[in-house]
Amino acid sequence: MTEIFTGSFTQQEPIPEEAVEAALVVLRHGRLHRYNVVPGELGETALLEQEFAAQTGAKYCLAVSSGGYAMATALRAVGVNPGDPVLTNTFTLAPVPGSIASVSARPVFVGVTEDLTIDLDDLETKLDQARVLMLSHMRGHLCDMDRLMQMCDAAGVTVIEDCAHTMGAAWHGQVSGRQGAIGCYSCQTYKHVNSGEGGLLVTDDEELAAKATMLSGSYMLYERHLAAPGPEVFERIKYHTPNVSGRMDNLRAAILRPQLRDLDRQIERWNERYFEIEKGLRDTPGLSVVDRPEVETFVGSSIQFLLLDWSAERVNEVIQRCAARGVELKWFGGAEPNGFTSRYDSWRYADSAPMPKSDRILAGIVDMRVPLTFSLEDCALIARIIRAEVSAVYQS
Ligand SMILES: *Cc1c(COP(=O)(O)O)cnc(C)c1O
């Protein structure tokens, strides 16, 4: 009998009851705007920032309207100007080059390795082309962060980290988002905490924190923040920093706080599912799983494997056959952008030279989300289906 998977790849878990209760409190008092507080009240957004700063060990934290907004704000705060080149990953998602384009700067793409991380050798040759690297920890794969930071520090390149897929991850025990000058996280439904939309930004640099806060639309109410620098820092920058409104609101903050407290448990659940799928895929002829470095603590909220040097037709056949059995795979090698997958050469607003080494890898990357609504049995079944269909096409 042919096994079929009938679950949904886009179904999230419900918002925890504790978060629903916290949301109802905000709805009942009606003070949704972050600066709308009664005397003595600490707003949900300010508390969220204080707690996320503590959780990541950062001095400062700012909550904003989306992950993409956090990244664009980071670029503005570090002083990227229109026309400036900004280094970034070839293998990433559209909001990453999009954040660079949003400040009228110019992405300079850096290649991808078979580990699905940024190619540090390629980066080395391009470090003299830009002052800033927007480093995307795409699909939660961390590169050798020690080597990357050494290289960027030596070249005077400021690193901004896109941690949309690494909230809760770490390199050598160091929390992801804390090696670069600024770390940016997304709280969007498909990431590691769910407020529909939302973003967080962390930094230890007081001036960057003050600028980001002003940029996010703090008017002159920055003293209502609990994880921002003192007023003297704002005095230095407030006349020169525009308001580009993109604040977080108290309703979203209220539902995020309990979720962040629960993050470690959720990560364990993601990783159980990830390892179950990985176990089922290992040693499938023609398929390579991506081995994770021992010093990387990751969050298995998605899984990737490589069908390296397969023709486009055969990869497509695998995708179709798996889809027919209920398993939704995404392919980063497709010529046309499709759903959330797109390639550097489909972002035609940004010039790019051909990157044959990266093209070979992108052409083989198959990607799958791992929602927590999957049971471990679901994961084992999904792996059996992928294994069977990859084997069938490989042997044909
Ligand atoms: C989702 C995502 C973002 C942006 O987050 P939004 O909150 O959707 O703006 C940035 N980078 C990557 C890699 C993402 O997947």
Side-chain angles (χ1 to χ4, degrees):
M1 197 193 77
T2 310
E3 292 182 299
I4 306 268
F5 178 65
T6 53
S8 164
F9 280 79
T10 50
Q11 182 58 52
Q12 308 304 318
E13 292 191 296
I15 299 301
E17 275 310 311
E18 193 191 344
V20 172
E21 292 300 323
L24 287 174
V25 172
V26 175
L27 287 172
R28 290 195 172 113
H29 68 50
R31 293 184 295 278
L32 272 71
H33 192 285
R34 68 166 298 161
Y35 297 121
N36 185 200
V37 287
V38 292
E41 182 186 15
L42 302 175
E44 290 284 339
T45 309
L47 288 166
L48 167 70
E49 291 165 342
Q50 188 177 49
E51 289 163 3
F52 195 65
Q55 195 166 351
T56 53
K59 276 194 184 154
Y60 310 112
C61 174
L62 175 72
V64 294
S65 55
S66 75
Y69 182 89
M71 289 155 61
T73 302
L75 290 166
R76 281 202 180 89
V78 303
V80 170
N81 287 311
D84 284 356
V86 175
L87 295 159
T88 195
N89 305 57
T90 298
F91 173 48
T92 188
L93 291 179
V96 179
S99 70
I100 298 170
S102 80
V103 296
S104 300
R106 183 166 60 80
V108 176
F109 295 106
V110 182
V112 59
T113 68
E114 286 181 35
D115 300 326
L116 305 191
T117 57
I118 193 164
D119 182 345
L120 295 181
D121 295 330
D122 190 32
L123 178 63
E124 188 130 57
T125 69
K126 292 175 176 163
L127 279 174
D128 59 352
Q129 293 182 32
R131 293 178 36 245
V132 175
L133 166 64
M134 172 59 77
L135 174 65
S136 183
H137 302 304
M138 177 60 174
R139 286 296 182 251
H141 297 275
L142 292 169
C143 70
D144 180 342
M145 286 301 294
D146 304 319
R147 184 175 162 211
L148 177 125
M149 287 311 303
Q150 226 163 37
M151 282 167 50
C152 290
D153 287 346
V157 168
T158 301
V159 178
I160 299 169
E161 295 181 73
D162 164 22
C163 304
H165 305 158
T166 56
M167 179 188 274
W171 180 259
H172 269 303
Q174 211 184 353
V175 173
S176 182
R178 301 286 295 119
Q179 282 97 334
I182 300 182
C184 303
Y185 307 80
S186 170
C187 309
Q188 194 233 79
T189 296
Y190 299 103
K191 313 297 161 96
H192 299 172
V193 287
N194 176 10
S195 57
E197 302 285 356
L200 290 158
L201 176 161
V202 297
T203 184
D204 281 351
D205 184 301
E206 60 178 24
E207 193 152 315
L208 293 179
K211 282 183 177 165
T213 303
M214 288 291 300
L215 283 162
S216 77
S218 64
Y219 303 100
M220 295 296 160
L221 302 170
Y222 40 78
E223 290 189 55
R224 293 187 195 167
H225 285 245
L226 298 171
E232 69 289 354
V233 184
F234 286 91
E235 288 301 323
R236 297 205 300 266
I237 56 102
K238 70 180 189 185
Y239 298 106
H240 306 281
T241 310
N243 176 325
V244 189
S245 289
R247 292 171 300 270
M248 166 74 68
D249 61 83
N250 287 334
L251 184 57
R252 288 189 173 88
I255 69 173
L256 286 171
R257 292 176 60 211
Q259 292 182 59
L260 281 168
R261 287 197 284 275
D262 211 23
L263 183 61
D264 287 343
R265 195 179 65 91
Q266 298 294 74
I267 292 174
E268 270 176 39
R269 296 175 61 220
W270 259 308
N271 289 357
E272 281 171 6
R273 285 157 180 77
Y274 179 98
F275 285 120
E276 190 69 30
I277 299 168
E278 189 196 70
K279 187 174 74 184
L281 294 183
R282 253 183 209 282
D283 305 318
T284 304
L287 176 154
S288 345
V289 299
V290 181
D291 282 313
R292 313 296 297 239
E294 219 167 275
V295 296
E296 181 195 40
T297 307
F298 67 95
V299 184
S301 53
S302 70
I303 189 164
Q304 294 71 44
F305 59 85
L306 284 165
L307 299 177
L308 212 48
D309 300 322
W310 286 45
S311 70
E313 293 69 35
R314 290 163 80 81
V315 177
N316 254 325
E317 202 184 329
V318 169
I319 309 279
Q320 301 304 326
R321 292 173 70 129
C322 287
R325 295 178 65 180
V327 175
E328 258 182 57
L329 301 175
K330 305 290 177 186
W331 180 39
F332 277 87
E336 279 300 312
N338 182 3
F340 61 74
T341 54
S342 57
R343 298 165 41 104
Y344 71 96
D345 47 2
S346 39
W347 306 320
R348 292 183 201 163
Y349 56 83
D351 288 334
S352 59
M355 305 183 74
K357 262 176 73 181
S358 292
D359 289 344
R360 170 174 173 260
I361 293 158
L362 288 170
I365 301 176
V366 182
D367 173 58
M368 191 183 88
R369 305 189 53 249
V370 184
L372 288 173
T373 46
F374 288 0
S375 66
L376 292 180
E377 293 71 39
D378 291 339
C379 293
L381 168 61
I382 288 166
R384 282 199 300 279
I385 292 174
I386 297 173
R387 189 183 189 90
E389 297 307 331
V390 167
S391 302
V393 177
Y394 188 69
Q395 284 157 16
S396 66

